Amino acid sequence: MTELSPELRSFVLTLPSIPFLEALLLLHGAPDQIWTAEAIAQRLYLRSIAHAEGIVRELAARGFCACTPDGQLMYRPHDGSAVLVSRLADVYAHRLIEITRLVHG
């Protein structure tokens, strides 16, 4: 099992919400797929596309994805965040409650 290193813990603490985290992991899990806010809303069971659109804007603003002018996006993390997101995906699968508490804290 992957450790929750201080670096990963710090990264998790910057994530604004669980839906944001899950959208990030969704994109990470399908890096070649092109996503829309509607598709993300459906996959994450979000109540509104507007909520998913906000998440998409935040993902793009934080440099986790590239957006097209029509609002579609692909996973394209900047700098060293790809390694952290990969570690997070491993840890989240085994330490869901711990990660959830960190995000909510």
Side-chain angles (χ1 to χ4, degrees):
M1 182 180 345
T2 304
E3 274 301 305
L4 189 58
S5 68
E7 181 183 31
L8 185 56
R9 179 180 295 275
S10 292
F11 176 69
V12 169
L13 289 171
T14 69
L15 303 178
S17 67
I18 296 301
F20 179 92
L21 180 154
E22 291 183 346
L24 177 59
L25 296 180
L26 180 66
L27 271 64
H28 168 267
D32 296 326
Q33 184 167 338
I34 296 173
W35 294 91
T36 63
E38 183 176 358
I40 290 172
Q42 289 174 349
R43 289 289 301 271
L44 298 182
Y45 303 103
L46 299 175
R47 291 184 179 194
S48 75
I49 293 174
H51 187 192
E53 288 170 343
I55 291 170
V56 165
R57 283 191 299 275
E58 185 76 13
L59 285 165
R62 291 179 178 228
F64 291 115
C65 65
C67 276
T68 64
D70 61 352
Q72 296 182 339
L73 69 155
M74 289 183 72
Y75 182 65
R76 294 288 183 264
H78 63 78
D79 302 333
S81 65
V83 172
L84 287 171
V85 175
S86 290
R87 285 191 214 149
L88 176 58
D90 292 340
V91 170
Y92 192 62
H94 301 285
R95 298 168 91 170
L96 174 76
I97 293 171
E98 182 179 359
I99 299 299
T100 301
R101 286 182 178 155
L102 279 174
V103 172
H104 286 297

